[in-house]
Amino acid sequence: MVWHATIGNGPTKVVILHGWFWDHRVFMPMFDGLDTVSHTYAFVDIRGYGNSRQVAGEFTIGEVAADAIALADQLGWNEFHIVGHSMGGKAAQKVAMDAGARVQSVAAVTPVPASALPFDDAVFGVFATACEQDEVALALMGDSLGNRVSPRIVSTKTEISAVWAGDFPQILA
């Protein structure tokens, strides 16, 4: 089972999935602003990331979705909302496809498209290289953020990103 942190005790249940670069900690700046009386939030670390870094698997979007649904089952949540950022947004869409009757809403924040990514070999090679070379990861993250955030923020994201080179090719599938 993947790791998660639960915040709140409210009747409205929300599963939250992070994106490719980072883990549940990307959401920490908003923790103090959460409505913990009316909502319960489960912040997930996807397999291969953060506290789930050692969890083995296939590292596919389908597996991320299945893990989110299994977590909802484990928590006893018959209905829930799903939120995903970037790659997590793609997985959130898959959760809605696989558990549609249980999913009350989907919020996909700057999601990767639900369709396959149209990477040619050269572009895919750049992304795969980012798993092994910090300078490539820094450039990709800076570009993905519109080069509008400080180099320190991008550097911090690189330092704590738990992406393994072997995981990347599968997780985009």
Side-chain angles (χ1 to χ4, degrees):
M1 179 55 69
V2 294
W3 180 93
H4 74 282
T6 305
I7 299 174
N9 295 302
T12 302
K13 313 302 186 188
V14 186
V15 175
I16 303 179
L17 305 172
H18 60 82
W20 183 45
F21 286 113
W22 220 325
D23 56 27
H24 79 280
R25 293 175 289 178
V26 71
F27 300 109
M28 287 177 72
M30 67 179 69
F31 285 0
D32 289 340
L34 296 174
D35 178 353
T36 58
V37 173
S38 64
H39 291 72
T40 303
Y41 306 89
F43 290 88
V44 176
D45 275 355
I46 294 170
R47 291 173 191 251
Y49 293 81
N51 296 302
S52 295
R53 187 170 183 163
Q54 303 301 326
V55 178
E58 298 175 13
F59 306 104
T60 64
I61 292 298
E63 187 175 61
V64 174
D67 285 344
I69 295 165
L71 175 60
D73 291 344
Q74 176 189 338
L75 295 171
W77 296 359
N78 294 323
E79 294 182 324
F80 58 95
H81 302 269
I82 183 81
V83 175
H85 171 252
S86 190
M87 178 187 69
K90 181 174 183 158
Q93 294 170 71
K94 180 70 170 145
V95 169
M97 291 169 53
D98 293 350
R102 297 176 63 188
V103 176
Q104 296 178 298
S105 71
V106 176
V109 182
T110 61
V112 172
S115 62
L117 289 174
F119 286 170
D120 60 26
D121 289 344
V123 172
F124 190 83
V126 171
F127 275 81
T129 302
C131 297
E132 300 167 354
Q133 298 178 16
D134 285 349
E135 64 277 2
V136 176
L138 284 167
L140 278 174
M141 281 190 275
D143 288 348
S144 73
L145 298 169
N147 292 308
R148 292 176 294 207
V149 297
S150 75
R152 179 170 162 82
I153 290 173
V154 176
S155 177
T156 299
K157 285 178 69 80
T158 299
E159 289 170 14
I160 68 171
S161 178
V163 177
W164 294 346
D167 300 344
F168 179 73
Q170 295 86 12
I171 203 125
L172 291 177

